[in-house]
Amino acid sequence: MKVIKDISALQEISDYHRILRKKIGLVPTMGYLHEGHVSLLLNARDECDIVVVSVFVNPKQFLPGEDFKEYPRDFLRDYHICKKSGVDYIFNPDEKEMYKENYFTYVNVKELSDKLEGIYRPGHFTGVATVVLKLINIAKPHCVYFGEKDAQQAVIIDRMFKDLDVDTEMRICQTMREDNGLAISSRNIFLNENERNEAAILNKVLNEGMNMVLENRVERCDELKKILEEKIKSESPNSRLQYMSITDDKLLDEIENLNEYKGEIIISLAAFYGDTRLIDNVSFTKM
Ligand code: AMP
């Protein structure tokens, strides 16, 4: 396994493997790797000849006042996890390598980036789309792997690939969870034991919401949200729900009448425990 810091070095390596007809898989991450990331790495290992993981805390996707500085980092730990997971190359550029002087270009997936998460984190998805497209141009992968946990990110990247004719396949891997159902996240280390226990409610209500929709037990989106929000409040007094939304998976528009709707549904939410912001979602098909 090699650690690459230069863009041009990784581009040459990718060219070399492409000439040899090797299939390259890329797993973009911000490091502080956990089982969620490892499941992406193992999927890539299964499907590709060469596995590249990027470890880069992308400043462009954090808003002023967000936790860019506090975001957990431990490269040595990441290195060992990658080695164990069969990674071939870790791309770990400095900020200055990724965003050189006079950096002016951004990718904005309009319409989709300002909804849900985008309401509370304006500009976040521009940072995400920009870094993902840069990483694709650097690693030149045949396949790129993302987690279902960041559902809106997956929808936006998929749109960007289609709109900009990006010749890379996208794979979405299921969310890895703690035993109590809490979605594994690099930010979970900031939760105390009580918060970690309480936060299990998020996954529980998402599943409950899904079942209620599938069994036609609720008609109005607002009504369902109210039921689920109250459940979170009563079972997790230390939580502060920021939003919950029930949308389709293409335009991310709220579904008003759940009984009439047919197709993919994403129920997503963000909640704070202290200063720690957690996101989670469930997606399913309503026939
Ligand atoms: P991050 O390092 O948080 O930017 O995440 C890098 C990738 O890992 C993203 O595509 C995430 O969706 C994915 N990911 C994060 N947490 C999980 C999880 N618990 N299960 C599966 N994938 C995850």
Side-chain angles (χ1 to χ4, degrees), residues 116 213 216-226 244-248 252-262 264-266 286:
L116 314 184
V213 173
N216 286 321
R217 281 194 273 144
V218 60
E219 184 176 329
R220 312 291 315 163
C221 172
D222 288 347
E223 193 189 333
L224 176 57
K225 278 201 246 179
K226 208 168 149 214
M244 178 182 293
S245 66
I246 304 170
T247 66
D248 71 286
L252 302 173
D253 284 330
E254 294 280 338
I255 301 164
E256 298 301 332
N257 189 316
L258 294 161
N259 280 354
E260 283 173 6
Y261 179 85
K262 285 189 175 40
E264 284 295 312
I265 297 182
I266 306 174
K286 182 153 184 293

Side-chain angles (χ1 to χ4, degrees), residues 23 114 141 158 214 218 226 235 242 260:
K23 184 172 177 184
D114 298 334
D158 181 53
L214 289 176
V218 60
K226 208 168 149 214
E235 291 197 23
Q242 190 175 42
E260 283 173 6

Side-chain angles (χ1 to χ4, degrees), residues 23-72:
K23 184 172 177 184
I24 303 170
L26 169 69
V27 180
T29 81
M30 297 206 297
Y32 210 72
L33 303 178
H34 52 63
E35 285 167 51
H37 298 115
V38 169
S39 80
L40 269 54
L41 294 175
L42 297 180
N43 271 299
R45 186 68 283 165
D46 252 16
E47 295 179 359
C48 303
D49 301 307
I50 302 296
V51 176
V52 182
V53 57
S54 59
V55 172
F56 178 62
V57 184
N58 175 32
K60 306 275 187 204
Q61 68 188 70
F62 288 79
L63 276 71
E66 286 191 343
D67 58 351
F68 173 66
K69 280 216 179 89
E70 295 77 30
Y71 197 85

Side-chain angles (χ1 to χ4, degrees), residues 27-40 54 56 61 71 145-151 153-154 171 173-178 182-188:
V27 180
T29 81
M30 297 206 297
Y32 210 72
L33 303 178
H34 52 63
E35 285 167 51
H37 298 115
V38 169
S39 80
L40 269 54
S54 59
F56 178 62
Q61 68 188 70
Y71 197 85
Y145 295 79
F146 296 100
E148 207 176 29
K149 173 167 174 279
D150 295 87
Q153 168 175 284
R171 298 273 195 273
C173 306
Q174 75 178 67
T175 302
M176 302 304 285
R177 299 181 177 279
E178 310 269 7
L182 173 64
I184 299 176
S185 160
S186 305
R187 290 187 172 101
N188 288 359

Side-chain angles (χ1 to χ4, degrees), residues 56 79 98 121 130 178 206 213 220 229 258 263 269 287:
F56 178 62
Y79 180 93
M98 284 298 267
R121 307 187 70 191
T130 302
E178 310 269 7
L206 288 168
V213 173
R220 312 291 315 163
E229 282 169 17
L258 294 161
L269 57 77
M287 306 285 195

